[in-house]
Each structure stands twice: as C-alpha cells, then as structure tokens.
Amino acid sequence: MRIISGKAKGRKLKVPKTDKVRPTQDKVKEALFNIIHIKEGDKVLDLYAGAGSIGIEALSRGAKEVVFIDQKPRLVHENVELSGLGGARIYGTKVAIALKVLSKHKEQFDLIFLDPPYAGDEVLITLKNISSFDILNPHGIVIAEHNWQQELPAEINGLIRYDQRQYGQAILSFYKRGAE
C-alpha cells in the first residue's frame, strides 16, 4: 500500500497483519481521488480508518486537516508518522460516539469517507447517523465504500446518492445533501 499522489507520493504505508481490516485497494483509492479532487484547505473525516490510507492520501493531496476515527488506531498513528504529513487528528473510539462528539463541538467536514466492515448494517447505520448530525458542510460529500452485494438507498434522511461506482467487489456510493 502506498501514497499515490501529492506531497508524500510514493511513500509506503504499513498494511494490517489481520484479515479483520480490509484496506481500500490502490486502484479504488486512485479512482476515488480522480473523482473527488481534494481542494487546498478541505477538512476530511475518515471513519473506520483502518490503516488510514484514504485520509493520508487526502493530506498528501492538500487537505488542511483529516480526522481519523478507528477503534484501534495504532496502524493509523504509524502510517501518519511514516507519511511525514501534518494535519492529522486521530481518535480511538467507536464511530457512533465520535459522530456525536464531533457534532457537539460543531465540527463540519467537506468530505466524509466511511469504509466499515462489509458484514452487517454498519454502513447504513453510519450514513443515517451522519445525516442526523450537522457535521457535513453544505456543499460537502459523503462517500461510502461497501460490498457490491449490499444495496444502499438512493436517499437517506436528506442525503441523496448522486453517483455510484463499482470496482470488483467494492462499490463507492457518493452522497450529498438534498435541496434545503
């Protein structure tokens, strides 16, 4: 696993030594960043961060700050250090708790990426939680990586799916706020 582009291009990142963490494949990560185009100063939330490769890629491409959330953030800490990039905040907690705390502190994000375990309903639950807290900037986007067998609704409590792309067994579903 490596950083694909930006200030830290080419740096290698550590991969998990367990099958409980499924890092986003480089081809999916490259496609994602070709679609979303990180802007200087963007604030990014990386949920279920795992190894942190999505958030680190965003930092390398110019994001101002990335907040990483993972219950076991050791690998995120190691990879942020390996990247040599600043602007990372890392929290070791459950995503549902983190969303409540971020909302309470009135934090908002330009990009929210989530890649929960494929088994179960965590992706749908998390999208519902994101939509019920005011943590997405008005023009921000939410990207959910999920298994190709899991169908997500076109609308979730005001979040509207505007794009969906499949890469092997992974699907990226893109959401934004509906008309307010």
Side-chain angles (χ1 to χ4, degrees), residues 27-66:
K27 70 177 182 177
V28 176
K29 184 169 57 173
E30 188 166 13
L32 167 67
F33 283 96
N34 285 337
I35 295 167
I36 61 168
H37 305 292
I38 291 290
K39 296 179 289 307
E40 288 286 329
D42 276 353
K43 188 172 177 181
V44 177
L45 179 59
D46 187 352
L47 301 173
Y48 307 93
S53 70
I54 296 294
I56 292 168
E57 187 72 32
L59 285 171
S60 183
R61 291 173 183 244
K64 175 183 174 184
E65 180 180 28
V66 175

CSV table of all heavy atoms in Angstrom, one decimal, residues 27-66:
chain,number,residue,atom,x,y,z
A,27,LYS,N,-6.2,0.7,-6.5
A,27,LYS,CA,-7.0,1.1,-7.7
A,27,LYS,C,-8.3,1.8,-7.4
A,27,LYS,O,-8.7,2.7,-8.1
A,27,LYS,CB,-7.2,-0.1,-8.6
A,27,LYS,CG,-8.2,-1.1,-8.1
A,27,LYS,CD,-8.5,-2.3,-9.0
A,27,LYS,CE,-9.5,-3.2,-8.4
A,27,LYS,NZ,-9.9,-4.3,-9.3
A,28,VAL,N,-8.9,1.4,-6.3
A,28,VAL,CA,-10.1,2.0,-5.8
A,28,VAL,C,-9.8,3.4,-5.3
A,28,VAL,O,-10.5,4.4,-5.6
A,28,VAL,CB,-10.9,1.2,-4.7
A,28,VAL,CG1,-12.1,1.9,-4.2
A,28,VAL,CG2,-11.2,-0.2,-5.3
A,29,LYS,N,-8.7,3.5,-4.5
A,29,LYS,CA,-8.3,4.8,-3.9
A,29,LYS,C,-8.0,5.8,-5.0
A,29,LYS,O,-8.4,6.9,-5.0
A,29,LYS,CB,-7.1,4.6,-3.0
A,29,LYS,CG,-6.6,5.8,-2.3
A,29,LYS,CD,-5.6,5.5,-1.2
A,29,LYS,CE,-4.4,4.7,-1.7
A,29,LYS,NZ,-3.4,4.6,-0.6
A,30,GLU,N,-7.3,5.3,-6.1
A,30,GLU,CA,-6.9,6.2,-7.2
A,30,GLU,C,-8.1,6.7,-7.9
A,30,GLU,O,-8.3,7.9,-8.2
A,30,GLU,CB,-6.0,5.5,-8.1
A,30,GLU,CG,-5.4,6.4,-9.2
A,30,GLU,CD,-4.2,5.7,-9.9
A,30,GLU,OE1,-4.0,4.5,-9.8
A,30,GLU,OE2,-3.5,6.5,-10.7
A,31,ALA,N,-9.1,5.8,-8.2
A,31,ALA,CA,-10.3,6.2,-8.8
A,31,ALA,C,-11.1,7.2,-8.0
A,31,ALA,O,-11.6,8.2,-8.5
A,31,ALA,CB,-11.2,4.9,-9.1
A,32,LEU,N,-11.2,6.9,-6.7
A,32,LEU,CA,-11.9,7.8,-5.8
A,32,LEU,C,-11.3,9.2,-5.9
A,32,LEU,O,-12.1,10.2,-6.0
A,32,LEU,CB,-11.8,7.3,-4.3
A,32,LEU,CG,-12.2,8.3,-3.2
A,32,LEU,CD1,-13.7,8.5,-3.3
A,32,LEU,CD2,-11.8,7.7,-1.9
A,33,PHE,N,-10.0,9.4,-5.8
A,33,PHE,CA,-9.4,10.7,-5.8
A,33,PHE,C,-9.4,11.4,-7.2
A,33,PHE,O,-9.4,12.6,-7.3
A,33,PHE,CB,-8.0,10.7,-5.2
A,33,PHE,CG,-8.1,10.6,-3.7
A,33,PHE,CD1,-8.0,9.4,-3.0
A,33,PHE,CD2,-8.3,11.8,-2.9
A,33,PHE,CE1,-8.1,9.3,-1.6
A,33,PHE,CE2,-8.4,11.7,-1.5
A,33,PHE,CZ,-8.3,10.5,-0.9
A,34,ASN,N,-9.6,10.6,-8.2
A,34,ASN,CA,-9.8,11.1,-9.6
A,34,ASN,C,-11.2,11.7,-9.7
A,34,ASN,O,-11.4,12.6,-10.5
A,34,ASN,CB,-9.5,10.1,-10.6
A,34,ASN,CG,-8.1,9.8,-10.9
A,34,ASN,OD1,-7.2,10.6,-10.5
A,34,ASN,ND2,-7.7,8.6,-11.4
A,35,ILE,N,-12.1,11.2,-8.9
A,35,ILE,CA,-13.5,11.7,-9.0
A,35,ILE,C,-13.7,12.9,-8.1
A,35,ILE,O,-14.3,13.9,-8.5
A,35,ILE,CB,-14.5,10.5,-8.5
A,35,ILE,CG1,-14.4,9.4,-9.5
A,35,ILE,CG2,-15.9,11.1,-8.4
A,35,ILE,CD1,-15.1,8.1,-9.1
A,36,ILE,N,-13.1,12.9,-6.8
A,36,ILE,CA,-13.5,13.9,-5.9
A,36,ILE,C,-12.6,15.2,-5.9
A,36,ILE,O,-13.0,16.2,-5.5
A,36,ILE,CB,-13.6,13.4,-4.4
A,36,ILE,CG1,-12.2,12.8,-4.0
A,36,ILE,CG2,-14.7,12.4,-4.3
A,36,ILE,CD1,-12.2,12.5,-2.5
A,37,HIS,N,-11.3,15.1,-6.3
A,37,HIS,CA,-10.4,16.2,-6.3
A,37,HIS,C,-10.4,17.0,-5.0
A,37,HIS,O,-11.1,18.0,-4.9
A,37,HIS,CB,-10.8,17.1,-7.5
A,37,HIS,CG,-10.9,16.4,-8.8
A,37,HIS,ND1,-9.8,15.9,-9.5
A,37,HIS,CD2,-11.9,16.1,-9.6
A,37,HIS,CE1,-10.1,15.4,-10.6
A,37,HIS,NE2,-11.4,15.5,-10.7
A,38,ILE,N,-9.5,16.6,-4.2
A,38,ILE,CA,-9.3,17.3,-2.9
A,38,ILE,C,-8.8,18.8,-3.2
A,38,ILE,O,-8.0,19.0,-4.1
A,38,ILE,CB,-8.2,16.6,-2.0
A,38,ILE,CG1,-8.8,15.3,-1.5
A,38,ILE,CG2,-7.8,17.5,-0.9
A,38,ILE,CD1,-9.9,15.4,-0.5
A,39,LYS,N,-9.4,19.7,-2.5
A,39,LYS,CA,-9.0,21.1,-2.6
A,39,LYS,C,-8.2,21.5,-1.4
A,39,LYS,O,-8.3,21.0,-0.3
A,39,LYS,CB,-10.2,22.0,-2.7
A,39,LYS,CG,-11.1,21.8,-4.0
A,39,LYS,CD,-12.3,22.6,-4.0
A,39,LYS,CE,-13.4,22.3,-3.1
A,39,LYS,NZ,-13.9,21.0,-2.9
A,40,GLU,N,-7.2,22.5,-1.7
A,40,GLU,CA,-6.4,23.0,-0.6
A,40,GLU,C,-7.4,23.5,0.5
A,40,GLU,O,-8.4,24.2,0.2
A,40,GLU,CB,-5.6,24.2,-1.0
A,40,GLU,CG,-4.4,23.8,-1.9
A,40,GLU,CD,-3.3,23.1,-1.2
A,40,GLU,OE1,-3.1,23.5,0.0
A,40,GLU,OE2,-2.6,22.3,-1.8
A,41,GLY,N,-7.2,23.1,1.7
A,41,GLY,CA,-8.0,23.6,2.8
A,41,GLY,C,-9.1,22.7,3.2
A,41,GLY,O,-9.9,23.0,4.1
A,42,ASP,N,-9.4,21.7,2.4
A,42,ASP,CA,-10.5,20.8,2.8
A,42,ASP,C,-10.3,20.1,4.1
A,42,ASP,O,-9.2,19.8,4.5
A,42,ASP,CB,-10.7,19.6,1.7
A,42,ASP,CG,-11.5,20.1,0.5
A,42,ASP,OD1,-12.0,21.2,0.5
A,42,ASP,OD2,-11.5,19.3,-0.5
A,43,LYS,N,-11.4,19.9,4.8
A,43,LYS,CA,-11.4,19.2,6.1
A,43,LYS,C,-12.1,17.8,5.9
A,43,LYS,O,-13.2,17.8,5.4
A,43,LYS,CB,-12.1,20.0,7.2
A,43,LYS,CG,-12.0,19.4,8.5
A,43,LYS,CD,-12.6,20.4,9.6
A,43,LYS,CE,-12.5,19.8,11.0
A,43,LYS,NZ,-13.1,20.7,12.0
A,44,VAL,N,-11.4,16.8,6.2
A,44,VAL,CA,-11.8,15.4,5.8
A,44,VAL,C,-12.0,14.6,7.1
A,44,VAL,O,-11.3,14.7,8.1
A,44,VAL,CB,-10.8,14.7,4.9
A,44,VAL,CG1,-11.2,13.3,4.6
A,44,VAL,CG2,-10.6,15.5,3.6
A,45,LEU,N,-13.1,13.7,7.1
A,45,LEU,CA,-13.4,12.8,8.2
A,45,LEU,C,-13.2,11.4,7.6
A,45,LEU,O,-13.9,11.0,6.7
A,45,LEU,CB,-14.8,13.0,8.7
A,45,LEU,CG,-15.2,12.1,9.9
A,45,LEU,CD1,-14.3,12.2,11.1
A,45,LEU,CD2,-16.7,12.5,10.3
A,46,ASP,N,-12.3,10.6,8.1
A,46,ASP,CA,-12.1,9.2,7.7
A,46,ASP,C,-12.6,8.3,8.8
A,46,ASP,O,-11.9,8.1,9.8
A,46,ASP,CB,-10.6,9.0,7.4
A,46,ASP,CG,-10.2,7.7,6.8
A,46,ASP,OD1,-11.1,6.8,6.7
A,46,ASP,OD2,-9.0,7.5,6.4
A,47,LEU,N,-13.8,7.7,8.5
A,47,LEU,CA,-14.4,6.8,9.5
A,47,LEU,C,-14.0,5.4,9.2
A,47,LEU,O,-14.0,5.0,8.1
A,47,LEU,CB,-15.9,7.0,9.5
A,47,LEU,CG,-16.5,8.4,9.7
A,47,LEU,CD1,-18.0,8.5,9.5
A,47,LEU,CD2,-16.2,8.8,11.2
A,48,TYR,N,-13.9,4.6,10.3
A,48,TYR,CA,-13.4,3.2,10.2
A,48,TYR,C,-12.0,3.3,9.4
A,48,TYR,O,-11.8,2.6,8.5
A,48,TYR,CB,-14.4,2.3,9.4
A,48,TYR,CG,-15.8,2.4,10.0
A,48,TYR,CD1,-16.7,3.2,9.5
A,48,TYR,CD2,-16.1,1.5,11.0
A,48,TYR,CE1,-18.0,3.3,10.0
A,48,TYR,CE2,-17.4,1.6,11.6
A,48,TYR,CZ,-18.4,2.5,11.0
A,48,TYR,OH,-19.6,2.5,11.6
A,49,ALA,N,-11.1,4.1,9.9
A,49,ALA,CA,-9.9,4.4,9.2
A,49,ALA,C,-9.0,3.3,8.9
A,49,ALA,O,-8.3,3.3,7.9
A,49,ALA,CB,-9.2,5.5,9.9
A,50,GLY,N,-9.0,2.2,9.7
A,50,GLY,CA,-8.1,1.1,9.5
A,50,GLY,C,-6.7,1.5,9.5
A,50,GLY,O,-6.1,1.8,10.5
A,51,ALA,N,-6.1,1.4,8.3
A,51,ALA,CA,-4.7,1.8,8.1
A,51,ALA,C,-4.5,3.3,7.9
A,51,ALA,O,-3.4,3.8,7.9
A,51,ALA,CB,-4.0,1.0,7.0
A,52,GLY,N,-5.6,4.0,7.6
A,52,GLY,CA,-5.6,5.4,7.4
A,52,GLY,C,-5.2,5.9,6.0
A,52,GLY,O,-5.0,7.0,5.7
A,53,SER,N,-5.2,4.9,5.0
A,53,SER,CA,-4.7,5.3,3.7
A,53,SER,C,-5.5,6.3,3.0
A,53,SER,O,-5.0,7.2,2.2
A,53,SER,CB,-4.6,4.0,2.8
A,53,SER,OG,-5.8,3.5,2.4
A,54,ILE,N,-6.9,6.4,3.2
A,54,ILE,CA,-7.7,7.4,2.5
A,54,ILE,C,-7.4,8.8,3.0
A,54,ILE,O,-7.1,9.7,2.3
A,54,ILE,CB,-9.2,7.0,2.6
A,54,ILE,CG1,-9.5,5.7,1.9
A,54,ILE,CG2,-10.1,8.2,2.1
A,54,ILE,CD1,-9.4,5.8,0.4
A,55,GLY,N,-7.4,8.9,4.4
A,55,GLY,CA,-7.1,10.2,5.0
A,55,GLY,C,-5.7,10.7,4.7
A,55,GLY,O,-5.5,11.9,4.5
A,56,ILE,N,-4.8,9.8,4.7
A,56,ILE,CA,-3.4,10.2,4.4
A,56,ILE,C,-3.2,10.6,3.0
A,56,ILE,O,-2.6,11.6,2.7
A,56,ILE,CB,-2.4,9.0,4.8
A,56,ILE,CG1,-2.4,8.8,6.3
A,56,ILE,CG2,-1.0,9.3,4.2
A,56,ILE,CD1,-1.7,7.5,6.7
A,57,GLU,N,-3.9,9.9,2.1
A,57,GLU,CA,-3.9,10.4,0.7
A,57,GLU,C,-4.5,11.8,0.5
A,57,GLU,O,-4.0,12.6,-0.2
A,57,GLU,CB,-4.7,9.4,-0.2
A,57,GLU,CG,-4.6,9.6,-1.7
A,57,GLU,CD,-3.3,9.3,-2.3
A,57,GLU,OE1,-2.6,8.3,-1.8
A,57,GLU,OE2,-2.9,10.0,-3.3
A,58,ALA,N,-5.6,12.0,1.3
A,58,ALA,CA,-6.2,13.4,1.3
A,58,ALA,C,-5.2,14.4,1.8
A,58,ALA,O,-5.1,15.5,1.2
A,58,ALA,CB,-7.5,13.4,2.1
A,59,LEU,N,-4.5,14.1,2.9
A,59,LEU,CA,-3.5,15.1,3.4
A,59,LEU,C,-2.4,15.3,2.3
A,59,LEU,O,-2.0,16.4,2.1
A,59,LEU,CB,-2.9,14.5,4.7
A,59,LEU,CG,-3.7,14.6,5.9
A,59,LEU,CD1,-3.1,13.8,7.1
A,59,LEU,CD2,-4.0,16.1,6.3
A,60,SER,N,-1.9,14.2,1.7
A,60,SER,CA,-0.9,14.4,0.7
A,60,SER,C,-1.3,15.2,-0.5
A,60,SER,O,-0.5,16.0,-1.1
A,60,SER,CB,-0.5,13.0,0.2
A,60,SER,OG,0.6,13.1,-0.7
A,61,ARG,N,-2.6,15.2,-0.8
A,61,ARG,CA,-3.2,16.0,-1.9
A,61,ARG,C,-3.6,17.4,-1.5
A,61,ARG,O,-4.2,18.1,-2.3
A,61,ARG,CB,-4.3,15.2,-2.5
A,61,ARG,CG,-3.9,13.9,-3.3
A,61,ARG,CD,-5.0,13.1,-3.7
A,61,ARG,NE,-4.6,11.9,-4.3
A,61,ARG,CZ,-4.8,11.6,-5.6
A,61,ARG,NH1,-5.4,12.4,-6.4
A,61,ARG,NH2,-4.4,10.4,-6.1
A,62,GLY,N,-3.4,17.8,-0.3
A,62,GLY,CA,-3.7,19.2,0.1
A,62,GLY,C,-4.7,19.4,1.1
A,62,GLY,O,-5.0,20.6,1.4
A,63,ALA,N,-5.4,18.4,1.6
A,63,ALA,CA,-6.4,18.6,2.7
A,63,ALA,C,-5.7,19.3,3.9
A,63,ALA,O,-4.6,19.0,4.2
A,63,ALA,CB,-7.0,17.3,3.1
A,64,LYS,N,-6.4,20.3,4.5
A,64,LYS,CA,-5.9,21.0,5.6
A,64,LYS,C,-5.8,20.2,6.8
A,64,LYS,O,-4.9,20.2,7.6
A,64,LYS,CB,-6.8,22.2,5.9
A,64,LYS,CG,-6.5,23.0,7.1
A,64,LYS,CD,-7.5,24.1,7.3
A,64,LYS,CE,-7.3,24.8,8.6
A,64,LYS,NZ,-8.3,25.8,8.8
A,65,GLU,N,-6.9,19.3,7.0
A,65,GLU,CA,-7.0,18.5,8.2
A,65,GLU,C,-7.8,17.3,7.9
A,65,GLU,O,-8.7,17.3,7.2
A,65,GLU,CB,-7.7,19.3,9.3
A,65,GLU,CG,-7.8,18.5,10.6
A,65,GLU,CD,-8.5,19.3,11.7
A,65,GLU,OE1,-9.3,20.2,11.4
A,65,GLU,OE2,-8.2,19.0,12.9
A,66,VAL,N,-7.3,16.2,8.5
A,66,VAL,CA,-8.1,14.9,8.5
A,66,VAL,C,-8.3,14.4,9.9
A,66,VAL,O,-7.3,14.3,10.7
A,66,VAL,CB,-7.3,13.8,7.6
A,66,VAL,CG1,-8.1,12.5,7.7
A,66,VAL,CG2,-7.2,14.3,6.2
